[in-house]
Amino acid sequence: MNNTLIGCLGVGAAVLSSLQTTHAQQSERPNVIFILADDIGYGDLSCNGEKTIHTPNVDALASRGVRFTDAHAVAATSTPSRYSLLTGEYAWRRNDTGIATGDAGMIIRPEQHTVADMFQSGGYVTGAVGKWHLGLGDKAGTQDWNGFITPGLKDIGFDYSYIMAATGDRVPCVIVENQRVVNLDPNDPIEVSYTTPFPGEPLGKDHPELLTVLKPSVNHGHDQAIVNGVSRIGYMKGGKQALWKDENIADSITTKAVQFIEDNQHKPFFLYFATNDAHVPRVPHPRFVGKSGMGARGDALLQFDWSVGEILKVLDRLGLTENTLIVLTSDNGPVVDDGYQDKAVELLGKHRPWGDFRGGKYSNFEAGTRVPFIVSWPANVKPAVSSALVSQLDLFASMASLLNTTLPEGSAPDSRDFLNTLLGKTKLGREYIIEQAGSLSVTTSNWKYIAPGNGPAYNKLTNTELGNSKLPQLYNLKKDKGEKLNLADKYPDKVKELQAILDKEKNKNND
Ligand code: NG6
Ligand code: CA
């Protein structure tokens, strides 16, 4: 071989290696999108096997990514679940992470390092769009809804935010963009209270004739302020021009999410897209009404699927599909009647929102936190189904590992790096997870231990088995997915072992 040829080969190799570096760099720094559904159960997405619902966009995502069958939210309700996902800390370590009112102060404090902070310090542009439900402003009831609401999402790592303060069924029923209420008429200021009604403002409980869109279910509350013919939790006055229209929420947040992607297509970005679907009140856009045959709940699932499709479409259009990592999951398990007469119970038919699992939202049983979970990243993830035990708690440390970042001391204290599991490179999952509902549970991939507690066994309103018992409960999840047979008496050593794990975790002092 003569020298010239060797020289050429050398240059070729250099070019090749620089191409490889570029590819490696690109795929090391993908765009990242978390799509967080609300109250969508394991069985609510057709990729998980139920034949009663059809969610083609989610299925397309699942078929090109890793679909997890044993993935968990940290808690069986929204606020603690989201707190843990964004901070990497078990919500039960604090006593102020229960379901937040719409005027709660910001639960994640500015000095905390969130997953958004982590992306931001890694050079990402960060955005939060959709349902928030983690409080805003300094203290409950003190926010200035008519001015700049501070502290806010800018203080915990989000460059951009377009959010519902709490939930669809809680006032204030307005969208807050970059810490200011959208469309507010300064001559019609907003007032919010969770203690005292405003004189002259009609309430759902006194004016059923004004509830033209949805009436609350019997004994479920949701009978206070009336907005758009739906009564809500909490009292509100003013801000008429800024009030959302429930049927447009999915359109408006999806549009903003798409816009965020378009605006930041040339930078690495992190988008936290938290849908309002399928939380109550379920008032899907007319184009989805009647489409599922299951009433408003099923239609809201189709609307969720549409939102997912819009995200996939814009990524395709901008050529970003290959190098965008998407995690799709839900904040907690499903509930059918969560407070409004929307015919979800009557029209459910054979659909099983909870799949094979027992319980649902609010429950210690598996369906409380066993949620849909898909990870897609075409550049780096091969299609697979994984039975690894994974938790939303670990997204933080895993994303830090993706970015090759060291986290500041004390941040994400409970989160562990499971990046290779999430990317389907190994099926090695967590040794155990802790689930939070009325009580705490410890789950390994074989066993589920529910610690004794004083909570009720059953929620009559939502028709949910809550799984609370004064006695310890132990289920063999491999043989008894549906948690029917309590084996605590038969295997006292297992009970002790799992209770010891719980004690150890509780005694850890993260400070
Ligand atoms: C409950 C509400 C329920 C829902 C839930 C929060 C009643 C009787 N029920 O207290 O309707 O709003 O809180 O749901 O008020 S979550 O998914 O945001 O956690
Ligand atoms: Ca929820």
Side-chain angles (χ1 to χ4, degrees):
M1 206 180 275
N2 70 32
N3 281 348
T4 326
L5 192 54
I6 293 173
C8 284
L9 279 176
V11 172
V15 170
L16 190 66
S17 104
S18 97
L19 277 178
Q20 277 166 346
T21 322
T22 318
H23 177 73
Q25 274 166 352
Q26 271 179 2
S27 48
E28 269 164 26
R29 283 165 56 86
N31 305 305
V32 177
I33 304 179
F34 290 176
I35 302 178
L36 186 64
D38 200 350
D39 298 357
I40 291 188
Y42 187 88
D44 278 326
L45 303 174
S46 42
C47 57
N48 285 341
E50 297 302 308
K51 302 273 184 268
T52 37
I53 183 85
H54 187 46
T55 50
N57 292 303
V58 175
D59 289 14
L61 187 72
S63 66
R64 71 175 196 216
V66 186
R67 178 172 66 81
F68 289 85
T69 57
D70 198 2
H72 293 257
V74 173
T77 51
S78 155
T79 303
S81 169
R82 288 159 200 257
Y83 175 84
S84 300
L85 186 154
L86 293 174
T87 65
E89 178 179 49
Y90 284 122
W92 47 261
R93 294 204 188 280
R94 286 176 50 165
N95 59 12
D96 58 351
T97 56
I99 298 172
T101 56
D103 69 344
M106 196 158 74
I107 296 170
I108 304 176
R109 302 311 296 178
E111 57 277 15
Q112 285 182 269
H113 193 73
T114 66
V115 72
D117 285 311
M118 191 273 297
F119 277 112
Q120 207 178 43
S121 35
Y124 280 58
V125 177
T126 56
V129 175
K131 173 178 171 174
W132 181 238
H133 209 192
L134 285 163
L136 291 173
D138 193 31
K139 287 201 178 71
T142 62
Q143 340 27 31
D144 178 6
W145 297 107
N146 304 294
F148 186 61
I149 303 165
T150 181
L153 274 68
K154 251 232 143 73
D155 303 295
I156 53 170
F158 288 105
D159 296 311
Y160 173 72
S161 60
Y162 183 87
I163 55 168
M164 303 162 70
T167 57
D169 58 353
R170 283 172 175 74
V171 301
C173 299
V174 294
I175 300 277
V176 181
E177 185 172 32
N178 293 330
Q179 302 177 216
R180 287 182 192 277
V181 170
V182 176
N183 259 335
L184 182 69
D185 171 359
N187 297 317
D188 181 25
I190 295 175
E191 289 177 71
V192 173
S193 169
Y194 274 74
T195 53
T196 325
F198 296 101
E201 291 297 310
L203 300 180
K205 66 184 172 64
D206 307 323
H207 289 278
E209 79 285 358
L210 299 179
L211 305 179
T212 48
V213 175
L214 274 180
K215 296 192 192 338
S217 305
V218 180
N219 294 331
H220 272 255
H222 294 95
D223 57 1
Q224 299 170 341
I226 303 173
V227 175
N228 294 322
V230 181
S231 50
R232 323 263 168 169
I233 304 173
Y235 307 106
M236 177 177 183
K237 185 182 174 180
K240 293 274 176 297
Q241 190 180 280
L243 297 174
W244 66 47
K245 297 259 182 299
D246 298 80
E247 62 270 36
N248 292 336
I249 292 175
D251 280 0
S252 92
I253 63 178
T254 306
T255 304
K256 290 291 172 174
V258 166
Q259 172 124 42
F260 176 83
I261 295 171
E262 279 172 346
D263 290 350
N264 297 294
Q265 57 180 293
H266 300 299
K267 311 170 189 151
F269 61 79
F270 167 62
L271 170 64
Y272 171 76
F273 179 42
T275 67
N276 172 50
D277 293 315
H279 198 278
V280 295
R282 303 171 187 125
V283 188
H285 189 272
R287 70 185 184 277
F288 299 103
V289 172
K291 293 289 160 35
S292 68
M294 273 187 253
R297 185 172 188 282
D299 298 343
L301 296 174
L302 301 186
Q303 183 167 265
F304 171 77
D305 185 65
W306 168 83
S307 295
V308 173
E310 291 303 292
I311 301 290
L312 301 185
K313 258 203 302 210
V314 67
L315 293 174
D316 270 349
R317 181 157 55 76
L318 302 175
L320 298 177
T321 299
E322 264 302 285
N323 203 31
T324 299
L325 189 162
I326 300 180
V327 178
L328 181 149
T329 186
S330 180
D331 68 337
N332 52 251
V335 55
V336 184
D337 181 356
D338 207 16
Y340 292 96
Q341 299 180 35
D342 61 6
K343 295 231 161 52
V345 174
E346 295 85 334
L347 297 173
L348 191 65
K350 290 195 162 53
H351 182 56
R352 302 185 308 161
W354 40 82
D356 290 334
F357 305 104
R358 187 172 179 182
K361 179 177 181 178
Y362 311 112
S363 178
N364 293 301
F365 289 130
E366 278 297 277
T369 67
R370 173 104 58 146
V371 286
F373 197 101
I374 297 165
V375 178
S376 151
W377 178 15
N380 230 317
V381 163
K382 290 201 195 72
V385 176
S386 174
S387 57
L389 179 65
V390 295
S391 168
Q392 291 173 2
L393 185 63
D394 296 328
L395 282 171
F396 196 148
S398 305
M399 292 300 110
S401 161
L402 174 79
L403 267 64
N404 216 352
T405 309
T406 340
L407 294 173
E409 187 76 23
S411 56
D414 296 309
S415 185
R416 301 286 171 267
D417 173 11
F418 278 93
L419 182 64
N420 284 333
T421 313
L422 296 180
L423 301 183
K425 308 216 186 295
T426 161
K427 289 207 170 152
L428 210 68
R430 261 188 169 254
E431 197 188 324
Y432 62 83
I433 57 159
I434 297 184
E435 301 170 65
Q436 174 191 354
S439 201
L440 293 179
S441 310
V442 183
T443 301
T444 65
S445 38
N446 285 325
W447 295 98
K448 161 89 168 261
Y449 165 66
I450 306 176
N454 291 323
Y458 195 70
N459 181 338
K460 263 196 234 147
L461 293 177
T462 58
N463 194 14
T464 312
E465 293 184 291
L466 296 174
N468 294 306
S469 166
K470 293 197 171 50
L471 300 171
Q473 295 173 78
L474 180 72
Y475 299 99
N476 182 334
L477 291 177
K478 277 274 148 28
K479 294 191 182 144
D480 177 24
K481 255 191 194 180
E483 296 166 284
K484 290 292 181 212
L485 193 62
N486 182 2
L487 298 171
D489 285 344
K490 197 165 169 197
Y491 298 109
D493 290 349
K494 199 31 101 180
V495 168
K496 263 195 210 137
E497 179 194 323
L498 297 175
Q499 177 65 48
I501 291 179
L502 195 53
D503 292 341
K504 194 183 79 195
E505 281 290 354
K506 278 164 118 176
N507 292 333
K508 259 190 208 162
N509 187 351
N510 283 335
D511 302 333

